[in-house]
Amino acid sequence: MILINACSPNKEKGFTQEDSDAPLLFLGQKEPTLIPEVFAPGIISKPDRYEFGCTFSEDGKELFFGVDNSGVTEIYHTRLLNGTWSSQEKLFKEDSFSHNDPMLSADGQKLFFISDRPLEVGGQRKDIDIWYIQRENANWSAPVNLGRAINDELDQYYVSFADNGTLYFASKDKAEKATRDAFDIYRAERQGDGFAMPEKLPAEINTAQYEADVFVAPDESYLIFCSTRADGFGRGDLYISFRDTEGNWSLAQNMGNSINTGSHELCPFVTRDGKYLFYTSNQDIYWVSAKILDDYRQASSSAD
């Protein structure tokens, strides 16, 4: 078990169990400032492994994150239960297929991820698709492929949902002369139990380069995503774009050296309460106060 425990004197002071858990949310870490810092060093972000991408439940008591184990990507899980964070366990037992980019649905009842697992049990490894599992009481369902409306014969990466059910994700650039690493960001509105035909986001977001790892605000007011561009600091940087009341996206701006480094920044995630921005940098998970987004919003407004 991860040794972060609730203090027993809380009961004597009349605290409820929910109150006593409050100091333990987000692994009991001190709240970040406007300066990014490694999240839970030695507990989640370890010096001997590569962690990337994470998603917290709305109440901050459940964490899913990706780990690269010698080229096979796996999703780990830990939760706060009875005042203690559980041991970090692999979500899937298969060792031959990759699973990564975890993202909880808004209601926390589905966990979306990407994988090269086959469509049928015992089948062959395939391209990378978007999948999900659904809570069934205390267990998870078998993995479900998101279907042909979203997945095609090319690779799909990372998912994020607006509160209205609209799905944002990345897919391999479909242009005939697209480079090997070129990806674009798409948007697909909810339609019944599925999704409408995805629409590629405009040139304010997408270029002929790599755009992926997209996080959308619950109200679709902004996007944060990873891209490789000439104005970048390293292998990949985080960019941000804002959406106006007419549905137009601002020209994506590099988030600058407050976030980006000479390393690789990717996998953004903002908590449901809008307080914290998580992302991956230098093979660790970082977090920072989401108030930092106000600076980019002001810069975007000034540029209009």
Side-chain angles (χ1 to χ4, degrees):
M1 307 293 279
I2 299 175
L3 299 179
I4 304 177
N5 296 300
C7 300
S8 57
N10 285 342
K11 292 185 178 180
E12 298 175 7
K13 296 180 180 180
F15 284 78
T16 64
Q17 178 61 44
E18 184 176 356
D19 291 327
S20 68
D21 279 345
L24 304 177
L25 303 183
F26 300 101
L27 278 293
Q29 301 299 293
K30 182 181 178 182
E31 189 173 16
T33 65
L34 294 174
I35 300 176
E37 56 190 75
V38 175
F39 175 71
I43 301 173
I44 299 299
S45 299
K46 298 183 177 181
D48 58 346
R49 72 179 183 187
Y50 176 14
E51 305 90 11
F52 59 97
C54 70
T55 180
F56 271 96
S57 59
E58 184 171 7
D59 62 7
K61 296 182 180 181
E62 195 170 23
L63 168 65
F64 299 85
F65 62 100
V67 172
D68 188 331
N69 284 328
S70 301
V72 176
T73 55
E74 300 171 328
I75 297 173
Y76 280 69
H77 171 238
T78 179
R79 61 182 300 205
L80 178 59
L81 186 63
N82 297 323
T84 303
W85 282 90
S86 66
S87 299
Q88 299 167 28
E89 297 181 350
K90 287 200 307 182
L91 196 59
F92 300 100
K93 295 182 179 179
E94 300 98 325
D95 291 325
S96 56
F97 305 115
S98 289
H99 304 84
N100 63 353
D101 290 356
M103 185 66 70
L104 281 168
S105 59
D107 62 6
Q109 295 305 299
K110 291 181 179 179
L111 181 77
F112 292 82
F113 58 94
I114 63 172
S115 178
D116 59 359
R117 62 185 300 127
L119 293 175
E120 299 178 356
V121 176
Q124 297 296 312
R125 184 192 307 271
K126 66 182 305 294
D127 62 293
I128 299 173
D129 278 355
I130 299 169
W131 297 72
Y132 71 88
I133 51 178
Q134 187 161 353
R135 294 189 196 272
E136 296 179 344
N137 298 319
N139 300 311
W140 290 99
S141 70
V144 179
N145 188 282
L146 200 54
R148 295 292 296 178
I150 302 300
N151 295 315
D152 56 24
E153 70 281 0
L154 302 176
D155 290 341
Q156 279 70 48
Y157 285 175
Y158 216 82
V159 300
S160 183
F161 287 91
D163 276 347
N164 61 11
T166 298
L167 166 68
Y168 286 74
F169 68 100
S171 184
K172 181 75 176 65
D173 192 325
K174 297 173 176 54
E176 183 178 350
K177 295 183 179 180
T179 63
R180 178 176 175 270
D181 296 327
F183 278 73
D184 290 315
I185 294 172
Y186 287 77
R187 176 182 184 270
E189 294 185 356
R190 193 76 187 176
Q191 190 175 76
D193 293 332
F195 296 93
M197 182 66 65
E199 57 177 310
K200 181 179 172 181
L201 294 189
E204 286 78 8
I205 306 295
N206 287 312
T207 68
Q209 307 303 314
Y210 176 90
E211 282 86 29
D213 289 12
V214 56
F215 175 85
V216 62
D219 61 357
E220 294 187 273
S221 61
Y222 66 82
L223 293 178
I224 303 175
F225 60 94
C226 176
S227 185
T228 56
R229 303 185 182 188
D231 64 347
F233 289 77
R235 292 175 51 208
D237 285 4
L238 292 186
Y239 288 74
I240 189 167
S241 173
F242 295 91
R243 190 171 184 242
D244 64 23
T245 55
E246 297 180 355
N248 300 310
W249 292 101
S250 66
L251 183 64
Q253 57 177 304
N254 188 297
M255 295 183 74
N257 59 11
S258 296
I259 296 293
N260 295 313
T261 69
S263 183
H264 190 187
E265 280 68 46
L266 63 159
C267 299
F269 167 74
V270 178
T271 53
R272 290 286 300 170
D273 59 11
K275 292 179 67 175
Y276 311 122
L277 164 63
F278 287 82
Y279 63 97
T280 293
S281 179
N282 197 30
Q283 301 190 354
D284 281 323
I285 295 173
Y286 280 68
W287 68 332
V288 65
S289 170
K291 291 179 181 179
I292 197 173
L293 302 184
D294 294 339
D295 295 336
Y296 304 109
R297 187 177 289 105
Q298 292 174 6
S300 178
S301 298
S302 299
D304 292 340

